[in-house]
Amino acid sequence: MTARVQVPPAPGPLENYAACFDDLFSHLGQRRGFREYLTGLLLPRERNKTLTCLAGAEPMTGINDPAVQRLQYFLSESVWDPEAVNDRRLALLRSDPATAPHPGGVLVIDDSGDRKDGHATDHVSRQWLGRLGKTDSGIVTVTTLWADERLYVPLHAQPYTAACRLPRGTNDPAFATKPRIAARLVAKALEAGIAFTAVVADCAYGDNDDYRAELRELGLAYVLALKRRKGLWAPAWAAHTPIDAARALTWRGPDHPCDWTRVPRRFRDGHTETWWAADARLGPWGPDEPYRLVIATTDPATLPDQSTWYLTTNLPRPASPAAAGCPHPPADLATVIRIYALRSWIEQGYKQVKDELGWADFQVRSSLAIRRHQALVMAAFCFCWHTWLAGSGPPDGSGDPGGEPSPPPGEGRRLGGQSAQGGGKISSRHGPASFLASRAAPRPRLAHPLDTAPALLARLVQRAPAA
């Protein structure tokens, strides 16, 4: 059997990471394209990471550069499966003790929209884009992320297709609402062996009765936000919304909190805050019911919009009648707050994949190519975690993720973890001093990423993804 032709290596520790995916690509050009694409995503650039940027070509005029065309073919025409790449990435995460998801973490659900023009690109339609805070033409992707106080890593992503793009609208078999897509992604996380204590999401999913029912059918615990004015039928004298239920609780100041419980929170940047939490009653929700309504706020007297959470959970209150027959462990108010606080890591992850790794900068039209781009961005994101954790060790695992964490820089030492199919341990044996540009550009033009990548990549991998 003829031996495989060796692919030009990626710079520094990226080669050890990329080699774990080689058996998923059948051709030399695919393995080279995988390395060049990841390198282009990881290198710092002063413009959007379009294909010309990733290839180090000039904007517009460089579109026909051979390096650009190779990346275009790799993303749009080449035969490889983005799901297989994503599955391998998750297998590497699970096999490395520094990044392996554990039952103490949470599974965060969210969606994010990015502006895109025209109708020729799959999934693009006029819809609500949370990043812009308005309705506009764009693409929305539902994502899942695993997080604890120490680590946060993306798991799966699926673009949402609006009913107006399908032949039969909402009756089309291919149509799925965002909560329905989210439920599928939760099931995929379970199939991938991702361990977590609860599913967490904002009110876009918490307000959806069908979504909560699907989570219960999967046997999962959840802590989901509700809109403060989500209305429920109730007698005229009873509370009708979560904010009504919160106002019905008794509060006589910090010295006499009555129905409220003090919950101290320590954030990753070192500062602390005093929050107050309480179990409220609203319709079928109550402290002794199978489903609870938990209010958390910085000020029970005024319930400020920006620092008040209205949460529903199926985690029972300790010593309540519902705890006896519940498959989920009891959770006090502090635990519920700690679980939901981890949701903010997905917002931090969005900032990094979009502002640093070019999540929305793709220049392809097909759904397959878009999903390939997203799988490659998530692979680049996880490479940063692997490399940084290998160099510095895990940071302090305590505290809420309020504000951006700033762990100390690592040194890019050995990376633990086995590849999914015998690829061996990922390792990095190069110190920062060895990362020097090996050669100049071969001719007068913008430098190709692999020409000067080692010096730039060395600086990048010494920083944590969150830095």
Side-chain angles (χ1 to χ4, degrees):
M1 183 174 178
T2 305
R4 273 191 168 188
V5 178
Q6 292 297 315
V7 63
L14 182 58
E15 173 57 29
N16 298 282
Y17 183 72
C20 296
F21 297 82
D22 277 351
D23 61 300
L24 304 179
F25 301 105
S26 56
H27 295 84
L28 172 66
Q30 295 172 357
R31 300 192 296 277
R32 181 177 60 191
F34 180 72
R35 286 161 170 78
E36 292 184 352
Y37 208 96
L38 289 185
T39 301
L41 292 173
L42 288 164
L43 292 181
R45 297 289 184 178
E46 293 183 353
R47 58 188 173 101
N48 289 348
K49 293 188 176 180
T50 59
L51 287 172
T52 54
C53 176
L54 298 183
E58 298 180 19
M60 303 298 292
T61 58
I63 192 66
N64 292 320
D65 187 282
V68 178
Q69 292 299 306
R70 284 201 306 268
L71 291 183
Q72 174 72 39
Y73 185 86
F74 170 70
L75 205 60
S76 299
E77 306 296 334
S78 183
V79 180
W80 57 278
D81 185 5
E83 294 297 327
V85 170
N86 200 61
D87 290 344
R88 177 62 54 82
R89 176 180 66 86
L90 296 182
L92 292 172
L93 284 172
R94 293 196 312 271
S95 63
D96 188 341
T99 59
H102 57 80
V106 301
L107 182 68
V108 187
I109 303 291
D110 201 8
D111 58 73
S112 181
D114 299 285
R115 197 181 183 311
K116 290 288 180 180
D117 288 323
H119 296 282
T121 303
D122 287 346
H123 309 295
V124 173
S125 63
R126 189 168 178 81
Q127 54 193 319
W128 174 261
L129 304 179
R131 184 174 175 84
L132 302 181
K134 64 178 183 178
T135 298
D136 207 337
S137 176
I139 181 171
V140 173
T141 303
V142 182
T143 63
T144 54
L145 174 139
W146 185 92
D148 64 3
E149 290 84 354
R150 178 186 63 97
L151 182 75
Y152 54 100
V153 290
L155 299 180
H156 298 94
Q158 180 176 334
Y160 165 73
T161 303
C164 62
R165 294 209 51 135
L166 299 172
R168 297 174 58 188
T170 56
N171 295 322
D172 197 284
F175 176 73
T177 63
K178 295 171 191 173
R180 180 57 185 156
I181 294 174
R184 293 174 183 172
L185 296 186
V186 171
K188 291 180 71 172
L190 294 174
E191 292 172 3
I194 304 299
F196 53 90
T197 188
V199 176
V200 178
D202 63 12
C203 58
Y205 298 89
D207 283 340
N208 190 286
D209 296 337
D210 293 336
Y211 180 64
R212 298 198 305 271
E214 290 201 54
L215 293 181
R216 291 194 292 268
E217 289 178 6
L218 291 172
L220 299 175
Y222 58 76
V223 179
L224 308 174
L226 299 170
K227 292 179 181 176
R228 62 193 182 100
R229 298 198 181 278
K230 175 181 173 61
L232 295 178
W233 183 92
W237 50 266
H240 292 78
T241 63
I243 193 170
D244 292 339
R247 288 170 176 165
L249 297 169
T250 303
W251 166 258
R252 296 194 181 116
D255 295 332
H256 303 282
C258 300
D259 293 331
W260 296 86
T261 300
R262 187 191 304 268
V263 179
R265 295 181 62 195
R266 184 170 68 86
F267 292 78
R268 287 294 298 271
D269 61 4
H271 84 280
T272 60
E273 292 181 5
T274 296
W275 281 53
W276 301 88
D279 275 292
R281 297 182 181 276
L282 176 65
W285 293 314
D288 295 327
E289 303 299 331
Y291 315 117
R292 299 162 62 190
L293 174 63
V294 174
I295 315 296
T297 182
T298 55
D299 186 358
T302 61
L303 300 174
D305 293 345
Q306 299 301 317
S307 57
T308 301
W309 299 339
Y310 305 90
L311 309 175
T312 179
T313 180
N314 59 349
L315 293 170
R317 185 175 64 87
S320 70
C326 183
H328 309 301
D332 59 16
L333 293 171
T335 301
V336 173
I337 303 309
R338 174 255 173 192
I339 289 174
Y340 187 74
L342 294 173
R343 197 203 74 84
S344 62
W345 281 137
I346 200 166
E347 304 294 347
Q348 174 72 9
Y350 283 149
K351 291 180 181 179
Q352 290 157 348
V353 299
K354 293 184 179 184
D355 297 341
E356 303 294 336
L357 298 177
W359 177 269
D361 295 340
F362 57 83
Q363 291 179 312
V364 290
R365 299 191 182 278
S366 72
S367 177
L368 175 61
I370 293 171
R371 289 186 287 111
R372 284 175 171 176
H373 171 78
Q374 292 174 343
L376 293 169
V377 170
M378 292 190 289
F381 187 93
C382 289
F383 162 74
C384 294
W385 271 121
H386 279 294
T387 306
W388 181 77
L389 287 173
S392 67
D396 178 16
S398 61
D400 286 339
E404 297 184 9
S406 300
E411 298 179 358
R413 292 191 296 270
R414 185 174 181 81
L415 296 179
Q418 297 286 342
S419 70
Q421 294 185 7
K425 285 187 178 291
I426 312 170
S427 63
S428 170
R429 300 179 180 87
H430 303 278
S434 68
F435 287 100
L436 299 176
S438 58
R439 57 190 174 94
R443 59 184 182 277
R445 63 180 179 88
L446 291 180
H448 187 271
L450 294 185
D451 295 335
T452 56
L456 294 172
L457 192 61
R459 183 178 65 180
L460 177 74
V461 300
Q462 292 180 58
R463 301 199 308 263

